[in-house]
Amino acid sequence: MLKSAALLSASLFAIVKGQGVGTNQAETHPSLSWSKCTKSGGCVSTAGSVVLDANWRWVHNAAFTNCYTGNTWDKTICPDPTTCAANCQLDGAAYSSTYGITSSGNALTLKFITGSNVGSRVYLMASNTAYQMFKPLNQEFTFTVDLSTLPCGLNGALYFSEMAADGGSAAHPTNKAGAQYGTGYCDSQCPHDIKFINGAANMLNWTATSTNSGTGMYGSCCSEMDIWEANSVAAAYTPHPCSSTGLLECSGSTCTSTCDQPGCDFNSYRWGDTSFYGPGKTVDTTKPITVVTQFITSTGTATGTLSEIRRLYIQNGVTIQNSVTNIPGLTTYNSISDAFCKAQKAATGDTDSFESYGGMAQMGQAMARGMVLVLSIWDDYAVDMLWLDSDYPTTASATAPGVARGTCATSSGKPATVEAAGGSVQVIYSDIRFGDIGSTYTGAPYAPPGTTSSSTTTKTGGTTTSKAPTTTTTTSGATQSEFGQCGGIGYT
């Protein structure tokens, strides 16, 4: 995803990530329960919470003077990156009143506009000071989402990033705030707008990108798995492998040569099924959607090589198989695999950077090390989210393979427009489940293209404890894959 300049407009306070801990606002993480599932024991609720990313927070010195205001660093408090980190304190967040973030049981609501605040990004916590780590190999991730109010130009994104469980505080002691205050963000776009990286201010060569944001010399790279990037018009899921392990602080050409920034996406509209996803379509975005993602390995075990990423949807108790590709030059696929990625790059004429960065195997290595769950809502100051829901690139013919990605006009998605109209826009994520393949939902198993599943009408459950379904899932190597976009550039 091209999370370029997904701006948090000037809020009550200067929005910037700091490394000490302030005392103005107590930090209380909104609770969010989720479920761990096994085939033998079903799904059991787990207590959790979410934390707001540090880039959205007020940062100040001990006298409560802003370290950063608008798009400018205070040169007295921050004469250099190290001194800035020592002087600045990151404060707690008023989640509901300032950021529009609320939770209830297993549901999390992220409002797009709250006062002068725009968008948000949060992480699932295992404890007050550590992110919840997920290892998706040979596992299944399921959640329900309501994005019925998200128009063209917005993105309700849920994804994994290879961040450190403690937010980087152990490796970089000058980062005293750590995961408790949402530090240590990275993604495959190597974003330069992260204001503190590895415990130091990213203030060198700082260049304003708007009245309240900017970019510095360094970027923050890591592998990323986009499980869900979507609005009510279009959706995609996309792996983005990187050659690095964990967070890499980059500069210069390293920031564009470390990760597969285009990725390998599966967008149903882009790959030829224009009737599959959207209001009133097969997957009806006017209603909540349960999304199932399966991470298949070559051996059917957690130690095998990632070979395929499968997708199912559930609505009204009916299991919906993913759409099948239908564009010239691309044979039938309904999941992501090395074969699919190679075929779709050939069909579109795009460079196969996915293969160059190690493809599925490299993505799987990041999953084996562990990744953090990210939930967000944002708009796009770089290209108006056209890469997700419109014709992109806009200079290409809309009839060329892979150019048309959704029904939104190429003039849509302007941040000024979507923000002005965004007062009632929100995304609701709920009923997150993670566990054995086939254990997180009740319904039909995955069916390859050209085959028929044995069950199509089984209801899914949302209770605290549920009996695991008895389904069968093929664990052979991948026969499909997808390509996409993702990242985090410009989140401020």
Side-chain angles (χ1 to χ4, degrees):
M1 70 182 115
L2 302 171
K3 296 189 184 95
S4 299
L7 293 181
L8 178 65
S9 291
S11 174
L12 205 59
F13 311 115
I15 305 301
V16 60
K17 172 180 174 182
Q19 297 299 289
V21 175
T23 59
N24 182 73
Q25 170 76 47
E27 176 63 16
T28 303
H29 300 148
S31 61
L32 182 68
S33 62
W34 61 285
S35 295
K36 293 181 180 179
C37 305
T38 62
K39 286 184 177 180
S40 59
C43 293
V44 178
S45 183
T46 299
S49 62
V50 295
V51 62
L52 178 68
D53 180 273
N55 241 33
W56 266 258
R57 297 171 180 266
W58 182 30
V59 68
H60 52 77
N61 68 0
F64 297 99
T65 300
N66 292 344
C67 295
Y68 178 97
T69 303
N71 56 26
T72 305
W73 294 89
D74 186 300
K75 294 181 180 179
T76 300
I77 301 173
C78 294
D80 60 77
T82 302
T83 303
C84 187
N87 287 342
C88 293
Q89 302 173 359
L90 185 66
D91 226 308
Y95 281 84
S96 177
S97 61
T98 300
Y99 301 101
I101 300 169
T102 57
S103 65
S104 177
N106 66 14
L108 175 71
T109 299
L110 304 180
K111 293 186 180 297
F112 180 51
I113 301 292
T114 302
S116 58
N117 178 72
V118 179
S120 59
R121 182 171 66 217
V122 301
Y123 312 115
L124 186 65
M125 301 291 283
S127 70
N128 196 46
T129 57
Y131 299 132
Q132 178 67 50
M133 303 303 291
F134 290 87
K135 295 184 177 182
L137 290 179
N138 196 44
Q139 298 286 282
E140 181 175 273
F141 185 94
T142 295
F143 69 101
T144 297
V145 61
D146 183 343
L147 41 59
S148 56
T149 65
L150 265 62
C152 297
L154 289 190
N155 191 335
L158 181 152
Y159 55 105
F160 289 132
S161 281
E162 196 187 353
M163 299 162 59
D166 65 356
S169 58
H172 305 282
T174 51
N175 174 4
K176 301 181 187 305
Q180 184 176 1
Y181 288 82
T183 71
Y185 182 71
C186 56
D187 64 44
S188 61
Q189 304 303 304
C190 305
H192 284 253
D193 69 333
I194 307 301
K195 300 190 175 60
F196 283 77
I197 303 174
N198 290 345
N202 188 21
M203 58 184 291
L204 301 179
N205 296 344
W206 189 262
T207 303
T209 54
S210 78
T211 56
N212 63 351
S213 66
T215 57
M217 176 183 293
Y218 300 106
S220 187
C221 308
C222 68
S223 294
E224 176 180 6
M225 175 64 224
D226 290 323
I227 294 175
W228 185 252
E229 292 194 273
N231 53 38
S232 63
V233 177
Y237 73 108
T238 310
H240 296 266
C242 298
S243 58
S244 58
T245 297
L247 189 159
L248 172 71
E249 184 178 32
C250 70
S251 64
S253 61
T254 304
C255 297
T256 55
S257 62
T258 296
C259 299
D260 176 24
Q261 295 182 339
C264 176
D265 74 298
F266 201 108
N267 174 328
S268 295
Y269 194 101
R270 187 182 189 203
W271 303 127
D273 193 337
T274 59
S275 64
F276 184 74
Y277 179 93
K281 297 184 178 182
T282 302
V283 176
D284 185 357
T285 56
T286 66
K287 305 173 182 178
I289 306 163
T290 296
V291 183
V292 182
T293 308
Q294 299 174 336
F295 299 93
I296 308 302
T297 68
S298 57
T299 62
T301 68
T303 58
T305 300
L306 180 67
S307 59
E308 185 179 11
I309 305 172
R310 298 172 176 170
R311 169 56 52 84
L312 298 164
Y313 300 93
I314 302 169
Q315 277 191 311
N316 301 320
V318 178
T319 302
I320 303 168
Q321 300 292 330
N322 194 23
S323 62
V324 175
T325 54
N326 182 30
I327 65 168
L330 188 61
T331 54
T332 54
Y333 298 96
N334 70 351
S335 66
I336 298 177
S337 65
D338 284 328
F340 163 73
C341 295
K342 191 174 187 66
Q344 59 115 303
K345 300 293 186 182
T348 60
D350 293 333
T351 300
D352 192 358
S353 56
F354 185 73
E355 182 180 41
S356 299
Y357 282 94
M360 299 291 280
Q362 185 73 3
M363 186 73 250
Q365 289 179 22
M367 293 179 179
R369 291 188 292 265
M371 307 185 83
V372 173
L373 181 64
V374 186
L375 305 98
S376 68
I377 182 171
W378 60 284
D379 58 354
D380 183 1
Y381 273 70
V383 293
D384 305 332
M385 217 69 74
L386 301 180
W387 57 267
L388 175 66
D389 59 23
S390 185
D391 298 335
Y392 191 80
T394 57
T395 54
S397 169
T399 61
V403 172
R405 296 136 189 267
T407 58
C408 297
T410 55
S411 59
S412 68
K414 303 295 183 187
T417 302
V418 295
E419 289 171 16
S424 61
V425 173
Q426 64 183 26
V427 61
I428 304 173
Y429 303 106
S430 63
D431 201 12
I432 295 170
R433 299 180 176 211
F434 181 76
D436 298 339
I437 300 290
S439 72
T440 68
Y441 75 103
T442 302
Y446 164 80
T451 64
T452 302
S453 177
S454 60
S455 171
T456 58
T457 59
T458 323
K459 289 276 187 180
T460 57
T463 56
T464 299
T465 303
S466 58
K467 181 62 179 175
T470 53
T471 59
T472 57
T473 304
T474 303
T475 57
S476 60
T479 57
Q480 304 127 345
S481 119
E482 117 187 3
F483 119 111
Q485 34 279 314
C486 178
I489 297 176
Y491 254 135
T492 59

